[in-house]
Amino acid sequence: MEWLSDYKVVVFLRKILSSKYLPFVSAAVILADYYLGWDIVSIWYVCLCGLGVMITCKDVSPIFPLFLLMCVMVSSKNTPSINWDSPADYYTRPYILAQMIIAISLLVCGALERITESIIYKRFKPTPVLYGLCAFVAALLLNGIFSEYYTVMNLVYAIFLAMLFLGIFCFTCGNIKVSGETFERIAYSFIAMFIVLATELTVVYITYDNLIVDGVINRGEIRFGWGTYNNFGLYAIMCLPANFYLAAKYRHGWIFTLAGAVNLFMIFMCMSRQVMVMGTLIYALCMIWLLIRTKGYARLINALIFGVLALAFLIAFAAAHEWFFKLFSNLANSLETGSGRTLIWKDGVEKFLNYPLFGAGFYSRRQWVWGQSGFADILPIMYHNTVVQVMACSGIVGLAAYAVHRVQTVVSFLKDVTHDRIFVALIIVGMLLSSLLDNHLFYLFPTLIYSMLIGVLTLSERKKEAALAVRGDKSEIKDAAV
């Protein structure tokens, strides 16, 4: 909406919504509403602020923290999740549902207007990543089309995924101007998310009954309105690279290095075994990345912090070695059996063999019915592995399209390996690794974040070509595109 951009009130709102403090203000609002049970206030806040960003900002990257915090705004009091003994009917109450439809419609209309505008003004340019994503989305839309399990919900759920995979990608690529500030905003968004997660986990350990019994942590009690310990672990892993990105960026970045250690501790305290493994791997990659990136005094301080952490771990291991042996024994057993997932994976492979072309569909493990928990029933029961999920749901067509999409994202990253792009790539890798033992990629909210990050990665790929174009060196532009 460029014709509005010069009005004083628009300029004022743009400054507020583009502020580097917005992620932390938004985090405070979401946290307060979470504990007060004011979910509808969070929904209105996110939708109206998001609409404000679309109306007033030429660069819509300030919307990223709002989208990220959407993942954790469903309160325990009002959750429709079947993981709770008594799921609430809050989200199906007419006066709540009506407000949600209005608020979300405003946000969606704003996004559609921005996508249309970006196409008209030729800000959106097709890329190989877009073509691969289109093929993958098309395969998802055809999920289970000739199987006995096919229902209208197969198409409905696939449409939701299509809007998030493709719609958010197009929205991002046509309306974000990638710069160092963009990556910094993404990093601070994840720091705000990290604060929310740390606060909620701390409250769980302080206030939940029967969480720790005879010195044993009952991880089944670690749950939130918006998800379980596995969902918590995914978001915690995705927050890790932000700490190390900012640690390498600032003179006193060691503060963020310490925050990264707290983040890792938080990952272990969520008690998800798969998250512990994947989180430790991402932490190690981030640690190596930071030591390579920093020099002199900063590298020495960071190396000292890592050394102290290693020493602290050895002392803790010596003091509680029996607990650690038990933990790692359970972990080894979980990796061997997939915590019971091997049976699910076997079922997925059988569904693929029975319906090899288009798969058995998203609802092949359960027929969809509208039950007491309302919106929670919309989510299909997953196969807990991205590859198995795609095989079982979309068959060879889906698997081939996903493989092409995956290769194209890797190629996009390798075209221009920079500090900023490594940061985004590590977040995506954290999500993809976590999705080898779960299906975060298809759980809607994580899908939204994934699509925005892929969009940013694709956009930043063009920065090198744009810089060469300004200098007018056409031969270098050609080389950069190869």
Side-chain angles (χ1 to χ4, degrees):
M1 298 185 182
E2 296 185 4
W3 60 276
L4 288 172
S5 61
D6 294 330
Y7 286 91
K8 289 184 179 181
V9 65
V10 173
V11 173
F12 175 73
L13 288 173
R14 186 187 305 137
K15 288 182 179 179
I16 293 175
L17 295 170
S18 300
S19 170
K20 62 181 180 181
Y21 301 110
L22 180 66
F24 301 100
V25 172
S26 300
V29 171
I30 298 298
L31 260 179
D33 292 341
Y34 180 85
Y35 288 110
L36 291 170
W38 293 355
D39 296 36
I40 193 62
V41 175
S42 289
I43 292 170
W44 275 113
Y45 174 83
V46 168
C47 291
L48 289 180
C49 286
L51 183 62
V53 169
M54 294 180 200
I55 292 174
T56 64
C57 300
K58 294 180 180 179
D59 174 10
V60 300
S61 59
I63 207 170
F64 187 85
L66 298 170
F67 281 173
L68 183 59
L69 290 166
M70 283 172 61
C71 302
V72 294
M73 69 181 182
V74 178
S75 69
S76 301
K77 178 180 178 181
N78 300 319
T79 181
S81 173
I82 57 176
N83 293 309
W84 291 77
D85 297 332
S86 301
D89 65 347
Y90 181 85
Y91 284 91
T92 55
R93 296 172 190 170
Y95 66 94
I96 296 295
L97 188 58
Q99 290 185 73
M100 286 174 56
I101 292 172
I102 294 170
I104 294 172
S105 296
L106 289 173
L107 188 63
V108 170
C109 287
L112 290 175
E113 193 281 333
R114 288 301 297 251
I115 291 173
T116 304
E117 189 178 87
S118 67
I119 294 173
I120 292 173
Y121 289 101
K122 298 181 179 179
R123 292 196 300 264
F124 176 75
K125 297 180 180 179
T127 64
V129 174
L130 172 66
Y131 299 139
L133 196 57
C134 285
F136 182 48
V137 165
L140 291 178
L141 290 171
L142 294 172
N143 77 93
I145 191 166
F146 296 122
S147 79
E148 64 180 291
Y149 306 99
Y150 192 81
T151 70
V152 68
M153 281 305 298
N154 287 63
L155 180 60
V156 171
Y157 194 73
I159 289 173
F160 275 115
L161 289 174
M163 290 190 297
L164 293 172
F165 273 121
L166 196 55
I168 295 299
F169 177 83
C170 294
F171 169 76
T172 301
C173 290
N175 293 283
I176 287 182
K177 297 178 180 179
V178 175
S179 65
E181 185 179 351
T182 306
F183 293 100
E184 191 170 346
R185 177 174 285 118
I186 292 173
Y188 277 116
S189 299
F190 277 105
I191 295 297
M193 181 73 153
F194 161 65
I195 293 172
V196 171
L197 294 174
T199 302
E200 292 190 10
L201 186 64
T202 302
V203 171
V204 164
Y205 270 91
I206 292 175
T207 64
Y208 279 26
D209 296 329
N210 302 318
L211 179 59
I212 303 177
V213 179
D214 298 327
V216 177
I217 299 174
N218 179 13
R219 64 177 184 166
E221 293 297 318
I222 302 177
R223 52 187 176 174
F224 311 86
W226 41 266
T228 64
Y229 51 87
N230 281 335
N231 303 110
F232 179 97
L234 168 72
Y235 299 136
I237 287 175
M238 292 175 69
C239 290
L240 265 176
N243 288 294
F244 290 90
Y245 173 76
L246 294 172
K249 194 173 183 67
Y250 296 114
R251 179 179 176 81
H252 299 291
W254 57 268
I255 296 174
F256 291 103
T257 307
L258 292 175
V262 175
N263 198 333
L264 181 63
F265 177 73
M266 188 170 73
I267 286 171
F268 272 79
M269 291 307 293
C270 81
M271 300 307 295
S272 171
R273 292 185 287 259
Q274 69 220 41
V275 169
M276 292 180 190
V277 174
M278 302 309 180
T280 301
L281 178 58
I282 293 298
Y283 184 87
L285 291 174
C286 288
M287 180 178 68
I288 295 169
W289 170 43
L290 179 61
L291 291 176
I292 293 173
R293 180 69 182 177
T294 54
K295 297 179 181 179
Y297 174 78
R299 180 182 291 174
L300 179 63
I301 292 295
N302 287 320
L304 182 62
I305 291 173
F306 295 140
V308 170
L309 290 175
L311 180 61
F313 174 78
L314 291 175
I315 293 173
F317 182 81
H321 58 278
E322 291 183 2
W323 182 86
F324 276 99
F325 281 129
K326 183 179 179 181
L327 172 66
F328 289 117
S329 175
N330 290 337
L331 180 59
N333 182 61
S334 297
L335 292 176
E336 184 178 345
T337 65
S339 285
R341 286 170 171 78
T342 50
L343 294 176
I344 300 173
W345 298 338
K346 182 180 177 182
D347 178 51
V349 173
E350 289 176 353
K351 294 282 174 43
F352 167 70
L353 293 175
N354 289 332
Y355 303 97
L357 189 59
F358 295 108
F362 275 104
Y363 293 86
S364 56
R365 290 194 63 207
R366 178 193 68 178
Q367 291 297 307
W368 180 82
V369 291
W370 186 273
Q372 184 181 6
S373 55
F375 284 118
D377 288 330
I378 293 176
L379 292 174
I381 298 177
M382 301 289 188
Y383 287 95
H384 293 279
N385 177 281
T386 303
V387 177
V388 175
Q389 184 73 43
V390 174
M391 286 173 56
C393 293
S394 298
I396 294 172
V397 173
L399 198 60
Y402 179 71
V404 170
H405 169 62
R406 194 76 291 132
V407 169
Q408 286 176 333
T409 55
V410 172
V411 171
S412 174
F413 170 69
L414 293 177
K415 282 183 178 180
D416 190 13
V417 180
T418 66
H419 178 60
D420 294 330
R421 284 163 58 78
I422 290 173
F423 160 54
V424 172
L426 281 171
I427 301 173
I428 296 171
V429 168
M431 174 184 281
L432 295 177
L433 286 176
S434 299
S435 295
L436 292 177
L437 291 168
D438 212 314
N439 275 102
H440 303 292
L441 194 61
F442 300 105
Y443 281 151
L444 302 185
F445 282 129
T447 311
L448 186 157
I449 303 305
Y450 170 82
S451 299
M452 285 204 78
L453 292 173
I454 290 294
V456 170
L457 199 66
T458 305
L459 279 174
S460 58
E461 169 193 325
R462 301 183 197 150
K463 285 178 64 182
K464 187 174 182 179
E465 295 176 33
L468 293 171
V470 170
R471 295 201 300 267
D473 193 331
K474 295 182 180 179
S475 62
E476 285 190 302
I477 294 174
K478 183 177 180 180
D479 292 337
V482 173

